[in-house]
Amino acid sequence: MDAPSNQPPPFQELDDDIIGDEEEAQFTDGSAGSYSDSSSDNAGATSYEKTVEKYNEETANLLSELRDTMETSRKDFVFACGGSITIAATPEATAGATAGDTTGDTPGDKEPADPSSPPVTLRWDPPDPLKPASKCKLDFPLPAGPEQPQPGVEGLVADMDKASFGLRGEDVFDETCRRAQKLDASQFSTNFCPYDVGIMDTITRVLVPSLGTDRTARAELYKLNVYEGASGFFRAHVDTPRSPSQFGSLVVCLPAQHSGGELEVRHNGKTMTFDWSSATTDSIQWAAFYSDCEHEVLEVRAGHRVTLTYNLYAVAASPNPARPTDLSFPLLQHMNTLLSNPSFMPSGGYLGFYSTHAYPHTSLNFSLASLKGIDTVIFQGFQSLGCGVCLRPVLKPSAEDEDFYTPTVGKYLPMREVRGEIGSSMVMELVLGYWGEDGIAFGDVEWLNEPQHLEMQLAYTVHGNQATTVAQYSWCAILVGVGGYDQESGERLRLETTFREEIFEGCNDEE
Ligand SMILES: O=C(O)CCC(=O)C(=O)O
Ligand SMILES: [Fe+2]
């Protein structure tokens, strides 16, 4: 991949008027200013000639091949998965259940067994404390016919509140953005458990794959929602992260008849649609997705779409150096071959990869546990192959500073440090403070792809903001330190991975 310059282009200015965050959502369509891709001129990559001059021709050729493999591999990574679970008539029939019907596979997936769940009971707190408990309970599957012993979904809806969303930190009710009812997790309970029916195993396998670091997904119940026909919907948005380790959201749709209400999830120009309207009345449908992906609930035309939503967090163990590198990913095989080649970056060097997903962080915390999709393979893969790897936020200057400051890879976290540090010569010391005293320049990184910021409106708070405890998304770059090739031993030198969550805290303390 040849390129006219080794400096990435200025990021396109974001509209200040970002809708977001009750705690809930950041809208992503035109009304909040679209974040379109202005970087398609391939300016993120280092030119072939410069690479030849700096390293050698073979390195330049090998990097071109690696870029091609990355581009091809990107399509293998899913950003959402889902399935269906039958509600068994008797609890005994559910023994040994696992979640099936996974939408989207990663290499090495096995077909799970047919899953089933016991009947699902939902109980809630009514606004009127005198309302009898028997009227505040629904059992799924819902009994058929008009003679129902329970109140029906209408009875639930009557006891719910209007769902809000956020606009610059404030709760907003605006039925042109969202029309739905909600109960908070503290206002209801259910015996449904996504762990018992194998959903969490599937999510871990598909959305939080592990190469060098074992990770598992954890779910936290968040809301009960009803989108009622006609015209319940939720406009395109990204979910505001509740902590740096949140990587996704899980939606579980309980069986209640409705039409419309498809969930659409988008990433990198692809859309996955989950249409649960024609599901049988004795099955539960579910979908999980990376919550930085834009998603939308289309209009419910009739009936009730009843959902439980969960926030998904990733929990990681420490990297395990004794664990053999999992070469089942073709991309990882390619990386391995590259590093074994004595002509590739013979004295070592730096690679950079703009993450395909955005990552949540606070001013003190950034979680490597929440790595997503191909970013995981790049990060954990290079790490397990003995390279030094770190994840850094990529920052953009505000409109008035655009001519003076360049987009850059931050040394720490973006919120406080940036203003004094970005720009011309200062960029030099920004990038990799922890790989020796010298640091490296932005342009010294061999960039493997272009900045990825296609479809999402992000709440950057780069300039002049106080540190905040609310997690925000940033685009990141994965920086890879490649050790030199030791001709004598016939091995590439291994580098320490120096980027850990605790280092961030140390960095901030020193400020
Ligand atoms: O109900 C769904 O399918 C998605 C809801 C959603 O996006 C949300 O609650 O943030
Ligand atoms: Fe959402």
Side-chain angles (χ1 to χ4, degrees):
M1 200 180 349
D2 212 347
S5 141
N6 66 357
Q7 281 291 342
F11 281 49
Q12 185 163 327
E13 174 55 10
L14 294 173
D15 193 327
D16 275 340
D17 187 28
I18 293 169
I19 304 182
D21 202 17
E22 156 211 7
E23 43 171 333
E24 181 51 39
Q26 294 162 3
F27 286 93
T28 53
D29 65 15
S31 68
S34 61
Y35 193 34
S36 63
D37 186 12
S38 64
S39 64
S40 51
D41 55 356
N42 200 20
T46 307
S47 73
Y48 182 88
E49 290 74 23
K50 278 193 175 149
T51 308
V52 172
E53 202 178 305
K54 197 173 346 165
Y55 300 98
N56 54 38
E57 200 172 328
E58 188 145 9
T59 298
N61 290 337
L62 289 165
L63 281 175
S64 296
E65 284 167 25
L66 180 64
R67 289 182 183 112
D68 290 346
T69 303
M70 279 179 171
E71 195 45 42
T72 317
S73 307
R74 219 150 58 90
K75 300 178 188 74
D76 297 341
F77 290 88
V78 294
F79 50 93
C81 60
S84 174
I85 293 157
T86 306
I87 301 180
T90 58
E92 301 80 62
T94 66
T98 54
D101 229 22
T102 302
T103 315
D105 275 353
T106 48
D109 272 353
K110 287 192 201 80
E111 270 309 304
D114 184 33
S116 57
S117 158
V120 175
T121 300
L122 193 64
R123 294 175 198 272
W124 64 92
D125 297 337
D128 173 5
L130 298 178
K131 190 168 174 179
S134 61
K135 299 276 182 222
C136 305
K137 172 176 178 279
L138 282 178
D139 290 306
F140 296 87
L142 297 167
E147 301 297 311
Q148 297 181 7
Q150 52 185 24
V153 182
E154 292 83 359
L156 165 65
V157 171
D159 288 342
M160 297 177 87
D161 305 313
K162 270 189 190 171
S164 60
F165 60 89
L167 181 59
R168 281 174 243 116
E170 282 183 33
D171 259 359
V172 174
F173 297 96
D174 178 349
E175 296 208 323
T176 64
C177 293
R178 184 179 197 188
R179 199 171 302 141
Q181 300 296 117
K182 64 108 184 175
L183 284 179
D184 295 335
S186 59
Q187 297 173 294
F188 72 95
S189 61
T190 177
N191 64 334
F192 180 79
C193 174
Y195 291 86
D196 292 349
V197 291
I199 291 178
M200 296 311 295
D201 289 339
T202 304
I203 291 174
T204 294
R205 190 164 47 87
V206 178
L207 295 183
V208 284
S210 297
L211 282 87
T213 305
D214 292 324
R215 305 188 294 167
T216 46
R218 181 173 70 77
E220 208 172 86
L221 185 59
Y222 180 53
K223 299 269 178 190
L224 170 67
N225 287 120
V226 177
Y227 293 81
E228 217 180 350
S231 77
F233 72 102
F234 196 171
R235 217 174 73 181
H237 63 283
V238 295
D239 291 343
T240 299
R242 274 138 205 110
S243 92
S245 63
Q246 185 180 355
F247 71 89
S249 304
L250 164 65
V251 185
V252 172
C253 186
L254 299 174
Q257 276 182 345
H258 64 274
S259 65
E262 297 88 343
L263 168 65
E264 288 195 350
V265 187
R266 302 177 195 113
H267 176 64
N268 255 329
K270 280 202 234 165
T271 300
M272 286 177 76
T273 302
F274 298 90
D275 178 1
W276 300 322
S277 61
S278 54
T280 58
T281 51
D282 62 355
S283 69
I284 294 162
Q285 311 298 314
W286 66 274
F289 49 91
Y290 293 136
S291 42
D292 64 306
C293 294
E294 178 182 285
H295 57 280
E296 166 169 21
V297 180
L298 304 186
E299 190 175 324
V300 175
R301 292 188 297 276
H304 296 94
R305 182 182 185 273
V306 182
T307 55
L308 299 165
T309 57
Y310 297 79
N311 296 323
L312 297 173
Y313 302 90
V315 186
S318 299
N320 178 0
R323 181 184 161 135
T325 302
D326 173 2
L327 292 175
S328 62
F329 290 89
L331 176 56
L332 197 51
Q333 276 169 31
H334 192 135
M335 286 150 58
N336 189 35
T337 312
L338 187 79
L339 294 169
S340 317
N341 188 327
S343 308
F344 177 71
M345 291 187 164
S347 311
Y350 297 96
L351 302 174
F353 180 82
Y354 291 101
S355 65
T356 51
H357 286 277
Y359 290 92
H361 59 84
T362 65
S363 63
L364 290 178
N365 256 307
F366 210 121
S367 175
L368 294 176
S370 66
L371 281 167
K372 303 163 191 161
I374 191 173
D375 300 341
T376 310
V377 177
I378 304 289
F379 191 102
Q380 292 193 3
F382 274 120
Q383 187 177 50
S384 68
L385 293 169
C387 296
V389 189
C390 69
L391 186 71
R392 292 283 187 267
V394 178
L395 308 173
K396 66 170 279 293
S398 62
E400 68 270 21
D401 291 338
E402 214 162 46
D403 290 341
F404 181 63
Y405 295 114
T406 52
T408 190
V409 180
K411 186 176 181 181
Y412 311 134
L413 292 172
M415 294 188 204
R416 288 189 289 133
E417 294 88 348
V418 169
R419 191 164 192 127
E421 290 189 347
I422 63 171
S424 55
S425 62
M426 284 175 281
V427 171
M428 302 297 160
E429 49 164 0
L430 263 181
V431 184
L432 290 175
Y434 281 87
W435 285 336
E437 296 301 311
D438 299 333
I440 61 160
F442 202 77
D444 280 348
V445 177
E446 300 289 325
W447 291 99
L448 298 170
N449 62 345
E450 297 156 28
Q452 309 286 306
H453 53 278
L454 296 175
E455 86 275 36
M456 202 167 65
Q457 177 80 53
L458 292 174
Y460 281 90
T461 52
V462 173
H463 294 296
N465 284 22
Q466 297 273 314
T468 166
T469 52
V470 177
Q472 309 238 13
Y473 288 117
S474 275
W475 295 105
C476 295
I478 294 170
L479 296 165
V480 180
V482 177
Y485 194 88
D486 183 8
Q487 301 287 352
E488 239 170 70
S489 66
E491 279 180 10
R492 193 164 287 279
L493 296 173
R494 294 181 81 82
L495 297 182
E496 275 274 305
T497 293
T498 53
F499 181 93
R500 304 245 167 79
E501 282 152 271
E502 64 268 24
I503 288 181
F504 266 149
E505 298 199 30
C507 291
N508 278 282
D509 290 341
E510 281 162 31
E511 288 299 301

